[in-house]
Amino acid sequence: MPISSNSVHNNQNQSGSMNTASAKRTFRSGGGTITVREGETLKGVVSDIHGNEITISMEDGSSFTGKLPEASQYSIGQKAAFQITALDSGTIYMKAISQAYLLGMEDTIEQALEEAGLPKSPRNLEIVRSLLLNQQSISRENIAESLQLCARYPDADVNSVITMKRLGMPMDMATVTQFDQYNKQTHQLLTRMDALADSVNELLIGLTEENPSIARYATGAVLDTVLQSLPSLEEQKLTATQLQTNLSAAPEAEAAEGTELLTGEENQEISPEAAEDSQAAGQTATSPFARMKQLLNGITDRTSSLTDAEAKPTEFIPEQTGHLLTAEERSALSDLLEKHTENKELLTALEKGDLTARELLTNIKNTLAILPDEELHQLVSQKAFQKVVKGQFLSGWTLSPEGLKEEGSIDTLYNRMQQQFSDLTNLSRMFATRNSGEQILNTTSDLQQNLAFMKMLNEQFAYMQLPLKLSQQNAHGDLYVMTRKNALKKSKDNLKVLLHLEMDSLGTLDIHITKDHTSISTQFYTAKEAARKLLEKNVELLKDAINEQGYSFTSEFLAKEKDIDLVHDFIENDSPAPAAAVKRYNFDLRA
């Protein structure tokens, strides 16, 4: 593989035969000279790659630029060796010596720090290593600049800081922290929301033990917040079914009156909310998520239903006390509330499990003022109460596959989260000196920063976390639209999507979806062999659901071998490098 140099010129003042292997010849290289002979091996570090041109910085500090068809096989910072095969006027012909002098990145890193006059501390070594991995300059100036940048974020992963700088992303403590979490796959909202609900319950328990008056206020504030969320689609259907059952049993006149009430004043009360949802739906209608609605309809609920079919069937929806509590827990809670409510039907529904968490918590909120201090402590300390509060919070912060189909549902979900996180932040500031209060403050802050970072990503890329509410469990999901937004504007019929799911029964599942007009192909990457077999066994159900929507469908099942790389698999996937990305790299150990 010959290298022909256009930047090394023959020094005409030197004499010697071009055909004599032992005769040395001197060539000018930039501001210096290089003296070589045929058969000699030049060793050095790859300092620049541009197309088929490669620059080698040699051990004596000189450098050489030549042409090599296989230049792309090398990496900046990699050691290499080339043997001179011939000398000609203005050109040195060489061949690469394979496996002779490759690798050696650690030597390069140490040499770079020595030349920059910097100590070989673990952090300095890590910063130079990250610069090389990101194919950035390791000149003295760039190393010093990178050291200063990383010093601003001492708790962040060095590679996250260097990568964000290379991508030209906005950087402050919050964005660096979130990028670090997303890059390490520790960004799941669901995990933090679960911990937040537990911290809220811990705060209430501590307050009832020390100051019942303040505890009563805090409990009321928590119930006000948790009851802000509108009923889920499943809860609305349940309420409508129960209402229809009651109307069917009522006299005809009463039924007519009930129908008028349902469509009259009550409907007017909720119309502002409906208008807001409608507006959110309109804003979403032009987004990639809206164009994927039909696609996700079949994928998400059918995939989750495969494991639900294997699980023990339940007669309760996730919002009912029968789903959240055992029979013993419902009975104990009913006994505690019995003396403070005259609504015997409510207590009966609680014991049967038909009562929703919303109905139960609304009743408790209305009786807080008359609960004696001791019974308030008993209530807040009961596992049943804590599970209902947590269940209601998580219900409002998750979407079922059915709810996901609704236009504007994702926007509505995140708007609701923002409001409730803000309310809990304000409440926790009153008790920030307590451990549980501090935990709430830290968790809500992290959640709000997480949502802000997600919004920032969506300014250029279509990405969304999907906290999913399945019949047997809550599950984390990530939705990556791999097709860039500018490409989507040109063609709405072509989409590449990655749906990442983490479920207890199926384990980690990555679904790569490609939509080309009316053709949909999927690749299922499963971490568990049992999950692959279950999906293969039931894939015809999914195929039928997709076909019913007017699409042709094909599927493939593969073993999951690696985690998602936010940068390489998503941000840099199938797109030109960001504007801030470096195209050429200056590598000068002596600078």
Side-chain angles (χ1 to χ4, degrees), residues 50-106:
H50 185 61
N52 65 350
E53 288 189 351
I54 186 169
T55 300
I56 309 297
S57 294
M58 289 172 286
E59 295 171 334
D60 63 358
S62 60
S63 63
F64 165 76
T65 299
K67 291 184 178 179
L68 179 68
E70 295 83 1
S72 61
Q73 296 178 5
Y74 291 84
S75 300
I76 292 177
Q78 186 179 52
K79 285 191 174 183
F82 298 92
Q83 186 180 52
I84 299 174
T85 58
L87 301 174
D88 200 351
S89 177
T91 303
I92 300 176
Y93 293 94
M94 308 173 74
K95 68 176 181 179
I97 302 176
S98 60
Q99 306 300 324
Y101 203 56
L102 301 180
L103 303 177
M105 178 183 281
E106 296 305 312

Side-chain angles (χ1 to χ4, degrees), residues 385-422:
F385 173 80
Q386 297 166 28
K387 288 167 73 172
V388 172
V389 169
K390 181 175 182 177
Q392 182 63 21
F393 268 129
L394 292 178
S395 175
W397 297 337
T398 53
L399 275 176
S400 68
E402 284 294 324
L404 184 63
K405 299 174 187 177
E406 297 296 304
E407 292 290 355
S409 60
I410 296 178
D411 285 346
T412 302
L413 172 70
Y414 283 108
N415 288 337
R416 178 166 63 242
M417 282 185 187
Q418 286 279 24
Q419 182 59 54
Q420 292 186 322
F421 295 159
S422 178

Side-chain angles (χ1 to χ4, degrees), residues 209-225:
E209 292 172 349
E210 297 178 18
N211 193 321
S213 297
I214 294 178
R216 197 181 308 278
Y217 163 79
T219 303
V222 168
L223 294 181
D224 281 339
T225 300

Side-chain angles (χ1 to χ4, degrees), residues 11 96 118 143 198 262 265 308 354 363 384 417 487 502 506 573:
N11 185 343
L118 294 168
I143 292 175
D198 287 336
L262 181 64
E265 295 178 1
D308 291 344
D354 296 335
N363 180 267
M417 282 185 187
E502 295 177 10
L506 282 180
N573 176 69

Side-chain angles (χ1 to χ4, degrees), residues 201 205 324-325 329 333 378-389:
N201 279 320
I205 294 170
L324 297 168
L325 306 174
E329 289 170 333
L333 192 53
Q378 290 178 13
L379 172 67
V380 172
S381 301
Q382 260 200 17
K383 285 292 183 185
F385 173 80
Q386 297 166 28
K387 288 167 73 172
V388 172
V389 169

Side-chain angles (χ1 to χ4, degrees), residues 455-475:
K455 181 179 179 181
M456 184 186 77
L457 278 181
N458 267 282
E459 291 175 0
Q460 185 173 357
F461 314 102
Y463 163 80
M464 192 66 70
Q465 281 196 59
L466 297 177
L468 295 173
K469 173 171 51 187
L470 308 180
S471 62
Q472 299 296 326
Q473 61 176 312
N474 291 329

Side-chain angles (χ1 to χ4, degrees), residues 42 90 178 315 392 451 517:
L42 297 183
Q178 292 304 321
E315 57 183 309
Q392 182 63 21
L451 297 180
H517 292 81

